[in-house]
Amino acid sequence: MKLPVPIAFHLTEDWFPARPEGFDATGVAFAAVHTQPDNGFAANIAISGEYRPDSATLAELADESVERLHSIAESVVVADRREAGSADAPSLAQQLTFSAVVGTARRDLVQSQAYLSMFDIKEPHKRAVIRLVLTATAAQHESVLGDFQDFIRTVRPNTGAGAGA
C-alpha cells in the first residue's frame, strides 16, 4: 500500500522494518517490529493512510477503527482519547485495550493510535489522514510507548529528505 501523501520519519534503535511475510500487511504502508518480543509477541508499529474526501472528523475515523477491531478482537475498550493539534493540522490519539488470539495464544493487547490530518503538498484541497498504530502486549505496552511517542514526533510530510514511506 502507498500512502496518499509521502511522509518522513525516524525509528529508534530498538525497532526495525518488518518483512511483509511476517505480518498481515493488508492496508499497511510501513511496519516495524520491536527487537525484544514479550513472550513470543513482538510489539509493532504500523503506518497506513487514505484520502478522505468526506467531512468525517478524526473522532469519527477513530470510531471506525474501533468497529474494525471489534470484528477480530474481544472486549475492545477505548481507554483514552484526546484531540490535539490546530485547526490547520488536527490530530487525535486514542488507546484501546482488547483480547485477541494471535497465533495459537489468546493475548491481552493494547493499541495506541494516532491520527494525523495532512493536506497534499501538490494539491492542498485534498485531505489525507495518516494513521500510526502501536500494538503491544499489555505487559510490554508501557515500556515501548515512549518509543512510539518519539516516533510520532518525527513524522513529517516528506519533502525529499530523510526516511519515509
Side-chain angles (χ1 to χ4, degrees):
M1 172 192 186
K2 185 177 177 184
L3 290 175
V5 293
I7 62 171
F9 54 85
H10 176 75
L11 290 168
T12 63
E13 62 193 35
D14 291 333
W15 297 85
F16 60 93
R19 285 181 237 134
E21 64 273 9
F23 66 97
D24 178 6
T26 306
V28 174
F30 177 83
V33 294
H34 196 266
T35 56
Q36 298 184 6
D38 174 32
N39 197 22
F41 183 87
N44 58 81
I45 294 173
I47 303 172
S48 61
E50 63 185 325
Y51 279 114
R52 291 300 297 226
D54 60 6
S55 60
T57 66
L58 293 180
E60 289 168 336
L61 299 177
D63 288 340
E64 289 175 10
S65 289
V66 172
E67 289 307 311
R68 279 192 302 275
L69 195 54
H70 271 292
S71 70
I72 61 168
E74 296 176 12
S75 307
V76 179
V77 174
V78 178
D80 189 27
R81 181 181 283 179
R82 296 175 189 180
E83 294 189 52
S86 65
D88 292 336
S91 64
L92 180 140
Q94 72 177 1
Q95 187 176 88
L96 310 175
T97 60
F98 58 98
S99 177
V101 174
V102 181
T104 59
R106 176 161 304 286
R107 301 198 185 261
D108 291 329
L109 301 172
V110 178
Q111 198 171 81
S112 291
Q113 302 177 342
Y115 295 82
L116 310 174
S117 188
M118 297 182 166
F119 292 94
D120 188 306
I121 294 169
K122 295 177 183 168
E123 298 181 59
H125 64 280
K126 288 186 171 181
R127 175 180 76 134
V129 175
I130 305 299
R131 184 172 165 243
L132 312 167
V133 179
L134 166 69
T135 305
T137 62
Q140 189 180 33
H141 184 262
E142 285 301 315
S143 68
V144 296
L145 182 59
D147 286 351
F148 182 61
Q149 292 167 333
D150 290 345
F151 161 73
I152 290 171
R153 284 190 278 277
T154 71
V155 175
R156 303 274 184 272
N158 189 352
T159 57

